[in-house]
Amino acid sequence: MDRRTFLCLTAAATAASSGCRSHNYAHILKGDDIDLVGSHQAGAAVWNPLVDESVGKLMSRCLPGAEAIQPVGPEEIPPGVMMPASHQLPLVGTRPATVCFVGIENKSSEEIGDFKDQLYERIDSQVSGHDSFQLVSRRMVEAALRETRLRPDSLFLPTNRDVFAGTLGRQGSPIDFLMYATITSGTTERNKSTQRDYLLSLEITNIHTGEYFKESATIRKGYHNSRGGKWWQYGVFQQGDG
């Protein structure tokens, strides 16, 4: 085989192998298909259940109707705002309470990328589907933040909260609650395996009274450099010291 033939065959083999490497396959997931578990970071199998559980916990603290709500004195809260027992969220008279979802803060060790907007929309949709709440448009919230030059985490100071609420009120969207989401993670390493605990917390504050409520959900996930890492680290019977 001469040099020219050898070079041609090598180039053809390289092109063929490159074509194979660049080829991709896809399929449409059905409703009952399980979510893909990410091999290096959290994904749908982590974030979706965290949102569902944390929102469900928060919404379960809401009273089903105004008949169970007991009023407080007018000197403590504006007219029309009703307060239930201390362990449940207050509602506003006979109308749905208006909630301003101000954003998601990621304090975890991972970049969540496009999942941030996905989480926002999932939380927004689930809260909006609750009869006791109605949410302010995200576009209006972002416009009010730009106008007031306030960061979402600064809205829990009473002065900033009043300025922000006043801005939305002038835009035709008076609010009763501020809601904020925080993502955190904790990492445990053992040899070449890693356990990461993901926590999603939802905070909600009554702007009329300053009352504050919080619910959260957590998922633990193990990362290993081999298929047997799960059993090696956690044992056949799920023992952490296996």
Side-chain angles (χ1 to χ4, degrees):
M1 181 183 298
D2 59 22
R3 180 181 176 83
R4 178 175 297 180
T5 303
F6 175 77
L7 292 176
C8 290
L9 291 175
T10 301
T14 301
S17 62
S18 299
C20 292
R21 285 199 300 269
S22 64
H23 202 76
N24 197 25
Y25 299 91
H27 67 283
I28 300 298
L29 296 176
K30 298 179 181 178
D32 56 351
D33 287 337
I34 62 174
D35 287 322
L36 188 67
V37 178
S39 60
H40 292 79
Q41 60 186 15
V46 169
W47 300 129
N48 291 345
L50 285 180
V51 169
D52 296 346
E53 183 179 347
S54 57
V55 173
K57 285 181 177 179
L58 194 62
M59 296 298 98
S60 68
R61 299 182 69 175
C62 301
L63 292 178
E67 68 277 0
I69 303 176
Q70 299 178 358
V72 297
E75 70 281 0
E76 301 177 38
I77 192 168
V81 179
M82 311 292 282
M83 297 291 291
S86 60
H87 68 285
Q88 292 175 310
L89 284 176
L91 302 182
V92 184
T94 57
R95 67 174 175 84
T98 304
V99 179
C100 175
F101 184 17
V102 294
I104 300 173
E105 183 177 12
N106 179 27
K107 292 184 176 181
S108 73
S109 61
E110 299 178 5
E111 293 293 332
I112 60 176
D114 60 352
F115 252 107
K116 187 169 186 177
D117 284 332
Q118 181 85 354
L119 292 174
Y120 190 108
E121 295 300 328
R122 191 177 182 92
I123 294 172
D124 185 282
S125 296
Q126 292 196 20
V127 175
S128 296
H130 195 275
D131 293 338
S132 301
F133 285 153
Q134 62 181 18
L135 268 80
V136 177
S137 164
R138 181 179 183 180
R139 295 184 185 277
M140 295 189 70
V141 173
E142 292 174 345
L145 288 171
R146 287 194 299 269
E147 180 177 337
T148 58
R149 298 182 180 180
L150 293 170
R151 301 188 315 274
D153 59 352
S154 69
L155 298 181
F156 292 92
L157 294 175
T159 302
N160 293 342
R161 188 167 63 226
D162 292 343
V163 171
F164 179 74
T167 301
L168 280 176
R170 289 192 298 274
Q171 294 176 358
S173 296
I175 60 175
D176 304 303
F177 297 100
L178 291 177
M179 186 169 69
Y180 195 72
T182 305
I183 297 171
T184 57
S185 66
T187 304
T188 303
E189 294 184 353
R190 183 186 184 191
N191 298 324
K192 295 183 179 181
S193 290
T194 299
Q195 175 180 309
R196 186 157 292 150
D197 297 5
Y198 298 93
L199 181 73
L200 174 63
S201 301
L202 287 179
E203 310 169 34
I204 191 164
T205 301
N206 186 325
I207 68 167
H208 305 298
T209 66
E211 279 195 285
Y212 163 85
F213 297 88
K214 185 175 183 177
E215 291 290 350
S216 61
T218 185
I219 285 181
R220 299 179 300 158
K221 185 177 178 184
Y223 296 92
H224 314 283
N225 66 344
S226 68
R227 290 185 179 274
K230 172 184 176 182
W231 295 278
W232 178 257
Q233 297 295 340
Y234 293 92
V236 177
F237 300 103
Q238 305 301 310
Q239 299 291 324
D241 293 329

